[in-house]
Structures are given as C-alpha cells and as structure tokens.
Amino acid sequence: MSKGLNFENSLVNHLGIEIVEVNEERTVATMPVDERTCQPFGILHGGASVALAETVASFGAFNLIDQEKEGCVGLEINANHIRAKRGGVVTAIGTPLHRGKKTHVWEIKIVDEQDKLICISRCTMAIVELDKVSF
C-alpha cells in the first residue's frame, strides 16, 4: 500500500495520523488530540478532523483502484463537528458509499475512546488516470 507514498514529509506524519486498517469494506486511522491538532481554545481543531477524514478516504480509495494506472485526489469534503474533544486520541472509520469508475464517495465517522461521535464527514474522491495528470 505504501508504494510511491511519502509519509515522512507529509501532513499525515505532522498530525500524527496512523493508518491502522485498510480493506475493501473500511479504512481506520487514529490521530492524537494534542498541540499539533488543537485550536487555541485547547480543543480538537475542525481542520484537523477534516484532514483526518480526507486521509482516511484517500487511503481507502487508493486501496480500491488500479495503482499502476490510476491515482485519487479529494474532490469535495464536508464535516459536521458534533462534540468537542480535549486530549486523548480520536479514531476515524471510513466506509465507501459509492465506488464508481471516476468517483468514490466515503462516509467517515470520527469517534473518541468511548465511541462517542466527534465528527461526521463525507468525502468525494476523484479517480484520475495517471497518464493524464502528474503527481
């Protein structure tokens, strides 16, 4: 799964995101709620939640495409921030709702350690032919 991917110099690494499961049914990742991911008020930054959600959708879609011929990029994302979170770890569980030839649509639920919903997101991934785009 890591073929050609640079984790070291990426937002994924900077935010402490760890991919813990990737299969055809779902993708799961964790992220710490700490000084890297909190807003000045000391709670999880909504932008960090969105970055986590898009990361999950991206890895999930990447796992489902022909990696020799295709790539995937975020096309649209939305998020509803349900509950504040101070400290600890959040877990994002992404499930594909639609697996088309040109787009995938993912639902991502971000939960705390007690499985309480922190954020719900939907992300549309564009599936692109590698010979028509450069990464």
Side-chain angles (χ1 to χ4, degrees), residues 1 19-29 56-57 59-61 63-64 91-97 99 106-107 109 111 115:
M1 169 95 181
I19 307 299
V20 297
E21 180 182 343
V22 180
N23 59 51
E24 289 192 12
E25 287 79 39
R26 69 187 207 154
T27 299
V28 179
V56 165
F59 274 88
N63 184 58
L64 297 175
T91 300
I93 303 105
T95 55
L97 302 175
R99 299 183 207 183
W106 285 75
E107 176 184 74
K109 293 180 180 178
V111 298
D115 286 325

Side-chain angles (χ1 to χ4, degrees), residues 13-111:
N13 184 55
H14 179 72
L15 295 180
I17 296 171
E18 292 187 27
I19 307 299
V20 297
E21 180 182 343
V22 180
N23 59 51
E24 289 192 12
E25 287 79 39
R26 69 187 207 154
T27 299
V28 179
T30 61
M31 182 177 71
V33 180
D34 61 17
E35 68 281 352
R36 297 170 290 178
T37 58
C38 283
Q39 54 164 269
F41 298 111
I43 60 175
L44 179 61
H45 194 294
S49 293
V50 171
L52 175 60
E54 186 164 337
T55 298
V56 165
S58 295
F59 274 88
F62 186 72
N63 184 58
L64 297 175
I65 62 174
D66 180 348
Q67 299 167 14
E68 298 294 321
K69 298 178 182 176
E70 298 172 314
C72 57
V73 294
L75 183 62
E76 188 273 341
I77 190 164
N78 68 50
N80 292 98
H81 306 291
I82 309 298
R83 177 178 281 108
K85 174 77 171 136
R86 292 182 187 272
V89 174
V90 290
T91 300
I93 303 105
T95 55
L97 302 175
H98 166 73
R99 299 183 207 183
K101 291 181 181 180
K102 300 289 182 189
T103 61
H104 290 185
V105 178
W106 285 75
E107 176 184 74
I108 305 96
K109 293 180 180 178
I110 300 175
V111 298

